[in-house]
Amino acid sequence: MGKKKTISIVSVAAVIFCVMLIFYSAFLAKETGVEFFAMDTYIKVSAVGTDSAAACEKIQTLVNSLDTEMLSRQNENSEISVLNSNGGIMSEKMQEYILAMLGIYEKSNGAFDFALGSVSDLWGFGNNPHLPANSKIKSALEKSGADKLSISGNKISTNGAVIDFGASGKGIALDEIKELLGSMKIKNAVVSVGGSVLLYGKKNFTVGIRNPKGGSGSYIMTVSTPAACVSTSGSYEQYFEENGKNYHHILNPETGYPVDNGLVSVTVISDNGLASDALSTACFVLGIEDGMKLAEEYGCEIVFVDSRKKVTASDGIKDSLKITDSNYSFAE
Ligand code: ADP
Ligand code: MG
């Protein structure tokens, strides 16, 4: 009798212990964060789950190698630098990225042009921003553009045009990070790579949309969304002033000059990181009417902010948007 009682006390204790363990791993899962600099921008990771510490480390390694080995034009040995100089065989991943970008180039009628490298180099954003001579812009433009590329299977020749991941690399990083997190014990995570943010996990997230006139921590509205990639392209990201005029880093591929259409930022929400990043640039160039159509074609939600402090959003996201800065309001 006494023995039975002891056994049942032990088994009750074991059950309680197991329940506590499950409770701990489900609800008090570890949260880890890391911040680092890569891809010319700040990267911030916050992950919740048993593998959160390992995820932070692996994300750092992943982004650094994606940048230096594949996408960076600063590294002359990266895959894109070699392809830009000599053409050749693309890796499977490179082919995947370039075909996706080509699709957005075509659907945006060239507004997203990932082979404008020589033109954006002339503007010197990042190192030596200045107004280039008009003649230089014209001659660089003639040699640029994704229409110059010859692609056949996994072979590419750039024919003098320079492929640049400035408007899509951060989104590509989000896609690769998402895949990595899928293979680890991570409940949810938020990873921002510059103006592109990955919201990962089965919950609802609230993200802020930057105040074009404020610092990086200042928001004008919030969006509530399930897991997604959220990218913002803004004329405030990189700009300089010369002769009393502002010049920013999003270029009109037809002229080679910064887009001047009254927009200050465009945010795109998509399942896909590359699409969210590239489309935010494309729709900035296209303007509200055509940008709205392109976002719809890709099944994305979109938010435009213009210099009159008016906000225009796609129907699917309007109800989840809260303008928090009273200087801004929805356009009629
Ligand atoms: P950010 O890099 O600030 O997130 P974007 O994603 O909009 O901003 O990318 C801007 C960068 O993309 C520029 O710095 C330049 O390298 C490149 N770029 C500029 N104009 C275009 C364009 N029309 N299409 C594709 N890439 C562009
Ligand atoms: Mg972009």
Side-chain angles (χ1 to χ4, degrees):
M1 204 51 184
K3 206 175 175 189
K4 250 192 192 165
K5 206 171 179 183
T6 316
I7 291 172
S8 69
I9 288 171
V10 169
S11 48
V12 167
V15 169
I16 291 174
F17 179 73
C18 287
V19 169
M20 279 171 67
L21 207 65
I22 292 167
F23 180 83
Y24 177 79
S25 53
F27 299 103
L28 298 173
K30 262 197 320 179
E31 178 164 0
T32 316
V34 68
E35 285 179 41
F36 60 102
F37 192 85
M39 295 189 133
D40 291 327
T41 194
Y42 284 99
I43 300 181
K44 197 172 167 187
V45 183
S46 160
V48 177
T50 320
D51 286 347
S52 60
C56 285
E57 259 188 64
K58 286 195 173 180
I59 288 172
Q60 237 174 308
T61 312
L62 173 85
V63 175
N64 281 320
S65 73
L66 176 69
D67 189 23
T68 51
E69 288 164 28
M70 288 192 78
L71 309 183
S72 169
R73 287 204 290 126
Q74 271 111 290
N75 173 14
E76 57 179 29
N77 298 316
S78 71
E79 183 174 356
I80 199 57
S81 291
V82 173
L83 293 174
N84 273 333
S85 320
N86 313 317
I89 306 286
M90 296 179 275
S91 65
E92 230 170 87
K93 282 280 184 191
M94 182 60 79
Q95 191 179 355
E96 183 194 309
Y97 304 151
I98 290 194
L99 289 183
M101 294 197 293
L102 208 51
I104 298 177
Y105 168 78
E106 280 161 6
K107 285 220 162 85
S108 69
N109 285 321
F112 170 77
D113 192 337
F114 59 99
L116 273 187
S118 325
V119 184
S120 51
D121 283 352
L122 282 178
W123 288 90
F125 286 103
N127 44 15
N128 171 30
H130 64 278
L131 179 62
N134 180 260
S135 57
K136 282 194 172 169
I137 292 180
K138 274 195 172 150
S139 65
L141 205 53
E142 269 165 31
K143 296 182 207 116
S144 298
D147 56 334
K148 303 278 186 306
L149 308 176
S150 333
I151 299 174
S152 155
N154 61 359
K155 268 198 197 140
I156 187 166
S157 173
T158 59
N159 303 311
V162 175
I163 296 177
D164 173 60
F165 284 93
S168 57
K170 298 174 188 87
I172 289 172
L174 299 191
D175 289 329
E176 299 298 335
I177 294 167
K178 186 169 144 189
E179 202 181 312
L180 170 74
L181 293 177
S183 70
M184 303 183 83
K185 290 195 187 93
I186 294 296
K187 261 188 80 186
N188 53 69
V190 176
V191 184
S192 54
V193 180
S196 288
V197 185
L198 169 68
L199 307 168
Y200 177 91
K202 290 188 187 76
K203 66 168 210 171
N204 241 52
F205 297 84
T206 301
V207 278
I209 294 183
R210 265 276 297 276
N211 180 351
K213 306 269 180 227
S216 58
S218 142
Y219 301 110
I220 55 172
M221 59 187 133
T222 59
V223 187
S224 160
T225 168
C229 295
V230 183
S231 291
T232 301
S233 283
S235 55
Y236 55 83
E237 276 291 345
Q238 292 190 45
Y239 65 92
F240 64 91
E241 206 186 291
E242 204 165 304
N243 308 327
K245 203 171 153 25
N246 255 335
Y247 297 93
H248 64 84
H249 71 317
I250 303 168
L251 303 176
N252 179 344
E254 280 175 8
T255 62
Y257 282 82
V259 177
D260 186 12
N261 59 7
L263 287 176
V264 291
S265 88
V266 176
T267 299
V268 172
I269 305 178
S270 164
D271 290 342
N272 182 274
L274 190 158
S276 72
D277 195 0
L279 288 174
S280 67
T281 309
C283 297
F284 193 108
V285 178
L286 287 173
I288 297 179
E289 203 176 319
D290 289 341
M292 195 72 97
K293 283 185 203 150
L294 183 64
E296 198 179 340
E297 234 180 287
Y298 274 86
C300 300
E301 301 301 337
I302 190 163
V303 184
F304 300 86
V305 179
D306 68 29
S307 54
R308 291 163 23 254
K309 297 190 166 60
K310 295 290 178 200
V311 176
T312 308
S314 53
D315 288 339
I317 198 78
K318 254 187 206 151
D319 293 344
S320 331
L321 259 187
K322 256 198 209 128
I323 297 179
T324 50
D325 182 327
S326 58
N327 294 310
Y328 289 79
S329 60
F330 284 110
E332 262 94 68

